[in-house]
Short mmCIF file of all heavy atoms in Angstrom, two decimals:
data_model
loop_
_atom_site.label_atom_id
_atom_site.label_comp_id
_atom_site.label_asym_id
_atom_site.label_seq_id
_atom_site.Cartn_x
_atom_site.Cartn_y
_atom_site.Cartn_z
N ARG A 38 6.13 0.18 -3.55
CA ARG A 38 7.37 -0.36 -3.00
C ARG A 38 8.57 0.22 -3.73
O ARG A 38 8.48 0.61 -4.89
CB ARG A 38 7.38 -1.88 -3.05
CG ARG A 38 7.38 -2.49 -4.45
CD ARG A 38 7.21 -4.00 -4.35
NE ARG A 38 7.27 -4.64 -5.66
CZ ARG A 38 7.02 -5.93 -5.86
NH1 ARG A 38 6.70 -6.72 -4.84
NH2 ARG A 38 7.10 -6.45 -7.08
N GLU A 46 7.30 2.03 -7.14
CA GLU A 46 6.34 1.52 -8.10
C GLU A 46 5.05 1.10 -7.41
O GLU A 46 5.04 0.70 -6.25
CB GLU A 46 6.92 0.32 -8.87
CG GLU A 46 7.21 -0.88 -7.99
CD GLU A 46 7.74 -2.08 -8.77
OE1 GLU A 46 8.12 -1.90 -9.94
OE2 GLU A 46 7.77 -3.20 -8.21
N LEU A 47 3.97 1.18 -8.18
CA LEU A 47 2.66 0.79 -7.67
C LEU A 47 2.60 -0.72 -7.49
O LEU A 47 3.00 -1.48 -8.36
CB LEU A 47 1.57 1.23 -8.64
CG LEU A 47 0.16 0.72 -8.33
CD1 LEU A 47 -0.38 1.39 -7.07
CD2 LEU A 47 -0.76 0.98 -9.51
N TYR A 59 -4.00 -4.07 -9.56
CA TYR A 59 -2.74 -4.66 -9.14
C TYR A 59 -1.68 -4.58 -10.22
O TYR A 59 -1.98 -4.63 -11.41
CB TYR A 59 -2.93 -6.14 -8.76
CG TYR A 59 -3.86 -6.39 -7.62
CD1 TYR A 59 -5.22 -6.59 -7.84
CD2 TYR A 59 -3.38 -6.43 -6.31
CE1 TYR A 59 -6.08 -6.83 -6.79
CE2 TYR A 59 -4.25 -6.68 -5.25
CZ TYR A 59 -5.60 -6.87 -5.50
OH TYR A 59 -6.46 -7.12 -4.44
N ALA A 60 -0.45 -4.49 -9.79
CA ALA A 60 0.67 -4.60 -10.71
C ALA A 60 0.73 -6.05 -11.21
O ALA A 60 0.41 -6.99 -10.47
CB ALA A 60 1.98 -4.24 -10.02
N ASP A 61 1.13 -6.25 -12.45
CA ASP A 61 1.18 -7.58 -13.03
C ASP A 61 2.04 -8.52 -12.21
O ASP A 61 1.76 -9.72 -12.12
CB ASP A 61 1.69 -7.52 -14.46
CG ASP A 61 0.70 -6.89 -15.42
OD1 ASP A 61 -0.50 -6.85 -15.09
OD2 ASP A 61 1.13 -6.43 -16.49
N ARG A 62 3.10 -8.03 -11.63
CA ARG A 62 4.03 -8.86 -10.88
C ARG A 62 3.42 -9.47 -9.62
O ARG A 62 3.95 -10.47 -9.10
CB ARG A 62 5.29 -8.07 -10.49
CG ARG A 62 6.13 -7.62 -11.68
CD ARG A 62 7.36 -6.88 -11.19
NE ARG A 62 8.21 -6.42 -12.28
CZ ARG A 62 8.03 -5.28 -12.94
NH1 ARG A 62 7.02 -4.48 -12.62
NH2 ARG A 62 8.85 -4.95 -13.93
N VAL A 63 2.34 -8.90 -9.12
CA VAL A 63 1.77 -9.39 -7.87
C VAL A 63 0.36 -9.97 -8.03
O VAL A 63 -0.20 -10.48 -7.05
CB VAL A 63 1.74 -8.30 -6.79
CG1 VAL A 63 3.13 -7.70 -6.61
CG2 VAL A 63 0.73 -7.21 -7.14
N LYS A 64 -0.19 -9.90 -9.22
CA LYS A 64 -1.53 -10.43 -9.44
C LYS A 64 -1.60 -11.91 -9.10
O LYS A 64 -0.74 -12.69 -9.47
CB LYS A 64 -1.96 -10.23 -10.89
CG LYS A 64 -2.39 -8.82 -11.23
CD LYS A 64 -2.91 -8.72 -12.66
CE LYS A 64 -3.41 -7.32 -12.96
NZ LYS A 64 -3.90 -7.21 -14.37
N GLY A 65 -2.63 -12.29 -8.37
CA GLY A 65 -2.79 -13.67 -7.97
C GLY A 65 -2.10 -14.01 -6.67
O GLY A 65 -2.33 -15.08 -6.10
N ARG A 66 -1.23 -13.13 -6.19
CA ARG A 66 -0.50 -13.38 -4.95
C ARG A 66 -0.83 -12.38 -3.85
O ARG A 66 -0.86 -12.74 -2.68
CB ARG A 66 1.01 -13.35 -5.21
CG ARG A 66 1.50 -14.40 -6.20
CD ARG A 66 3.03 -14.44 -6.26
NE ARG A 66 3.59 -13.19 -6.73
CZ ARG A 66 4.44 -12.42 -6.04
NH1 ARG A 66 4.81 -12.81 -4.81
NH2 ARG A 66 4.93 -11.31 -6.54
N PHE A 67 -1.07 -11.14 -4.23
CA PHE A 67 -1.36 -10.09 -3.25
C PHE A 67 -2.84 -9.69 -3.31
O PHE A 67 -3.47 -9.74 -4.38
CB PHE A 67 -0.53 -8.84 -3.54
CG PHE A 67 0.95 -9.00 -3.27
CD1 PHE A 67 1.52 -10.23 -2.99
CD2 PHE A 67 1.78 -7.89 -3.32
CE1 PHE A 67 2.87 -10.37 -2.77
CE2 PHE A 67 3.14 -8.00 -3.09
CZ PHE A 67 3.70 -9.25 -2.81
N LYS A 86 8.20 -13.86 -2.95
CA LYS A 86 9.43 -14.16 -3.67
C LYS A 86 10.53 -13.19 -3.24
O LYS A 86 10.23 -12.09 -2.77
CB LYS A 86 9.21 -14.03 -5.18
CG LYS A 86 8.05 -14.85 -5.73
CD LYS A 86 7.85 -14.54 -7.21
CE LYS A 86 6.68 -15.32 -7.78
NZ LYS A 86 6.47 -15.01 -9.22
N GLU A 88 12.22 -11.30 -4.98
CA GLU A 88 12.05 -10.06 -5.74
C GLU A 88 11.03 -9.13 -5.12
O GLU A 88 10.94 -7.97 -5.51
CB GLU A 88 11.66 -10.36 -7.19
CG GLU A 88 10.30 -11.03 -7.33
CD GLU A 88 10.00 -11.44 -8.77
OE1 GLU A 88 10.92 -11.95 -9.45
OE2 GLU A 88 8.87 -11.24 -9.22
N ASP A 89 10.26 -9.61 -4.16
CA ASP A 89 9.29 -8.77 -3.46
C ASP A 89 9.95 -7.95 -2.35
O ASP A 89 9.31 -7.09 -1.75
CB ASP A 89 8.17 -9.62 -2.85
CG ASP A 89 7.31 -10.30 -3.91
OD1 ASP A 89 6.99 -9.65 -4.92
OD2 ASP A 89 6.96 -11.48 -3.71
#
Side-chain angles (χ1 to χ4, degrees):
R38 65 187 183 187
E46 64 178 13
L47 172 70
Y59 298 90
D61 289 339
R62 295 181 180 85
V63 307
K64 283 185 177 180
R66 299 188 297 120
F67 291 9
K86 306 175 181 179
E88 65 186 41
D89 294 319

